[in-house]
Amino acid sequence: MNYWLLKSEPAVWSWQQQCAAGTTHWDGVRNYQARNYMQAMRLGDLAFFYHSNEGKEIVGIVTLVREYYPDPEQPDFGMVDVAAAQSLKTPITLAQMKADSRFDNFLLLRQPRLSVMPVEKDVWEYILSIAL
DNA sequence: GCCAACGTTGGC
DNA sequence: GCCAACGTTGGC
């Protein structure tokens, strides 16, 4: 089991919309590093759903329900399918993570522009411990 | 293959 | 709305 983080601007696609929709394609990624991480995702993996730009907080968890497959209109890039799994009782804000040294190595802080990234197991569990 | 120009992301 | 970071493009 691997853990990930997916970014979405709530003005474009929000956690509320994800919950209402259930399972959706996670497409539109046009960055090779992010794509490579998507290709490494396996069925049943879990990912945090992060609101970028507005909110700037982790708000929920999705499950991977279909592994990477190509976008017929953009063969170099593709998508995965995810399903809303759980909302965090307490969203974890970017400011909170920046202020906590446990997140010093978190890619979200190290590589702020990356939209798909892995999350270390200990970071994943720590977030759950304060968010649920 | 280098690097300047440009575009995009995302925090502030 | 601005701007820093950084990935991509294209000329040489």
Side-chain angles (χ1 to χ4, degrees):
Chain A
M1 163 91 72
N2 292 304
Y3 303 99
W4 309 93
L5 182 142
L6 300 173
K7 276 188 196 174
S8 184
E9 295 185 38
V12 177
W13 183 252
S14 71
W15 175 240
Q16 287 70 28
Q17 287 173 293
Q18 184 72 53
C19 288
T23 298
T24 56
H25 307 306
W26 199 269
D27 57 8
V29 171
R30 293 291 179 269
N31 169 284
Y32 289 104
Q33 197 178 354
R35 183 204 62 182
N36 293 344
Y37 286 134
M38 290 212 303
Q39 288 174 327
M41 293 179 181
R42 293 296 169 258
L43 277 183
D45 281 358
L46 298 173
F48 286 131
F49 190 110
Y50 174 79
H51 275 167
S52 61
N53 266 318
E54 299 164 43
K56 284 166 284 186
E57 56 190 6
I58 299 172
V59 288
I61 298 170
V62 295
T63 310
L64 198 90
V65 295
R66 183 174 173 189
E67 293 180 6
Y68 185 90
Y69 55 105
D71 182 341
E73 292 175 8
Q74 280 269 332
D76 281 352
F77 292 98
M79 64 196 96
V80 295
D81 288 1
V82 296
Q86 190 173 9
S87 295
L88 300 192
K89 284 203 184 73
T90 310
I92 305 301
T93 66
L94 184 65
Q96 197 177 343
M97 291 187 271
K98 282 188 165 176
D100 187 333
S101 64
R102 292 182 194 238
F103 295 104
D104 283 355
N105 294 316
F106 196 17
L107 276 181
L108 187 66
L109 308 183
R110 290 290 185 96
Q111 239 178 301
R113 295 181 57 215
L114 190 59
S115 61
V116 179
M117 67 189 73
V119 178
E120 297 291 332
K121 189 170 201 275
D122 59 342
V123 170
W124 179 274
E125 287 172 353
Y126 177 59
I127 291 174
L128 289 189
S129 75
I130 55 179
L132 293 182

